[in-house]
Amino acid sequence: MGAMSVRSQSSEPSASSAPHRAGFACFVGRPNAGKSTLTNALVGQKVAITANQPQTTRHTVRGIVHREDAQLILVDTPGLHKPRTLLGERLNDVVRTTWAEVDVIGFCLPANEKLGPGDRFIAKELASIKKTPKIAIVTKTDLVDSKTLAEQLIAIDQLGKELGFEWAEIVPVSAVGDQQVDLLADLIVPLLPEGPALYPEGDLTDEPEQVMIAELIREAALEGVRDELPHSIAVVVEEMLPREDRPADKPLLDIHAFVYIERPSQKGIIIGPKGKRLKEVGIKSRKQIEALLGTPVFLDLHVKVAKDWQRDPRQLRKLGF
């Protein structure tokens, strides 16, 4: 099998004698393959947005893994899929460009689902990017027995051979059970170029806070209405201002945000009976925003209709795509 890895890294030279490395990796895979969960497990904090709905990570959210011997910057590309709209095509261009620019690509494949056409579609695209080393990451291993896992590892190995490339590594992990996550970082690091750290120690992501806040609100707004409004929600944070006349030890941040939907008929779904849903969205996302920023927040949410924003280039630009 060549590149199967379940081992400790004690044979490596000690960190002090090895050169420091720094570089970029991105995780790819079908929706729900566990990409964001893995990013969070590696970085150790909630950075990318985890949701059971494809394409919630629309922006290049970077998580940064700081280690003594290396700095690994995770670029979270949106999922590659067959485009149906202008937004879809634009996402696919972003994906291919990103893949060609990173140092390592991790292809996430859930252990509990057999390889399907979606995986082949992505693997084929990966095969065309010759120079970049590719690691197959088998996620959600906590959900299967060892026989199923072994079969999946063999199938993935075969997939590479069929498409004419060799995986740099094939690593089973469970981000939820925190199994092998450190090993994964150990295996990615040697594939990065030598060089100093690219980001200061405290940074976990270089996404502007506004984008992360918008993502948290969007995630909360999608909760429970995914089937009815899967991709027709965009969130824009219009402004963030510290509340005036507050004592220094009791600051309050005012955040004004708009939830955009495509059609007036969707307004009722988002707002809910007597505004109950929108209120819940506000409470849920406010807690997460406060955790992210470490400061009390007053969140002012409004729902607006932006007609067919997914198909309109001007609206897309305004909404940050």
Side-chain angles (χ1 to χ4, degrees):
M1 278 203 55
M4 163 74 193
S5 301
V6 189
R7 56 171 198 270
S8 74
Q9 289 279 315
S10 54
S11 58
E12 297 294 308
S14 71
S16 55
S17 64
H20 188 277
R21 295 176 182 275
F24 296 83
C26 73
F27 294 144
V28 304
R30 279 182 300 128
N32 290 335
K35 302 182 290 283
S36 299
T37 311
L38 192 57
T39 301
N40 295 336
L42 278 163
V43 176
Q45 240 172 311
K46 186 167 175 170
V47 177
I49 305 301
T50 52
N52 330 341
Q53 180 64 35
Q55 296 163 36
T56 40
T57 321
R58 286 231 174 107
H59 298 275
T60 309
V61 177
R62 295 177 174 81
I64 303 169
V65 183
H66 298 280
R67 295 167 45 124
E68 267 179 43
D69 58 337
Q71 189 176 64
L72 169 62
I73 299 136
L74 301 168
V75 186
D76 210 9
T77 51
L80 187 81
H81 56 98
K82 299 189 170 138
R84 284 189 303 278
T85 61
L86 177 68
L87 175 64
E89 280 170 39
R90 205 168 275 190
L91 288 179
N92 282 358
D93 294 341
V94 171
V95 173
R96 290 197 186 87
T97 319
T98 306
W99 288 6
E101 289 170 355
V102 296
D103 302 298
V104 185
I105 300 172
F107 184 14
C108 295
L109 298 131
N112 61 335
E113 294 172 35
K114 282 201 158 41
L115 298 186
D119 298 316
R120 283 178 192 284
F121 176 68
I122 295 172
K124 224 182 192 145
E125 291 285 336
L126 285 179
S128 68
I129 295 172
K130 299 274 185 268
K131 287 200 182 87
T132 317
K134 301 166 233 345
I135 292 183
I137 304 166
V138 188
T139 57
K140 310 189 182 185
T141 53
D142 50 305
L143 302 178
V144 298
D145 57 23
S146 52
K147 182 173 172 287
T148 312
L149 179 58
E151 284 165 5
Q152 185 74 320
L153 295 170
I154 292 163
I156 290 167
D157 192 44
Q158 284 307 117
L159 180 62
K161 289 198 172 79
E162 269 169 51
L163 295 169
F165 69 87
E166 176 85 32
W167 299 106
E169 304 278 357
I170 299 177
V171 201
V173 299
S174 162
V176 176
D178 210 17
Q179 305 269 304
Q180 303 259 102
V181 173
D182 291 339
L183 170 67
L184 176 60
D186 291 341
L187 296 172
I188 293 174
V189 165
L191 301 169
L192 302 176
E194 292 181 15
L198 302 165
Y199 287 87
E201 180 72 53
D203 288 10
L204 290 171
T205 169
D206 76 346
E207 267 299 278
E209 282 170 346
Q210 260 153 293
V211 175
M212 291 178 74
I213 289 166
E215 285 280 277
L216 289 171
I217 296 169
R218 185 167 182 269
E219 183 185 41
L222 276 170
E223 205 69 18
V225 295
R226 294 183 197 289
D227 304 339
E228 300 159 89
L229 311 173
H231 307 311
S232 31
I233 298 180
V235 175
V236 175
V237 173
E238 288 287 319
E239 57 177 13
M240 291 167 50
L241 298 164
R243 176 83 56 96
E244 288 178 14
D245 316 325
R246 294 283 293 203
D249 57 341
K250 290 207 173 110
L252 182 69
L253 188 65
D254 282 314
I255 299 179
H256 300 276
F258 289 109
V259 178
Y260 286 97
I261 46 180
E262 290 191 292
R263 291 185 291 285
S265 60
Q266 298 169 334
K267 215 167 176 173
I269 302 174
I270 284 288
I271 294 172
K274 295 192 175 153
K276 191 164 166 274
R277 262 212 88 246
L278 190 63
K279 202 169 175 180
E280 282 166 10
V281 169
I283 291 168
K284 188 173 180 212
S285 51
R286 194 192 77 229
K287 282 189 183 132
Q288 296 192 315
I289 294 165
E290 290 181 336
L292 175 76
L293 302 177
T295 174
V297 161
F298 173 79
L299 181 60
D300 177 39
L301 278 186
H302 292 279
V303 180
K304 277 190 167 183
V305 179
K307 238 169 98 69
D308 291 331
W309 63 264
Q310 295 199 21
R311 288 182 175 73
D312 175 350
R314 213 185 65 239
Q315 301 267 21
L316 282 174
R317 265 200 305 280
K318 195 175 122 196
L319 298 173
F321 298 115

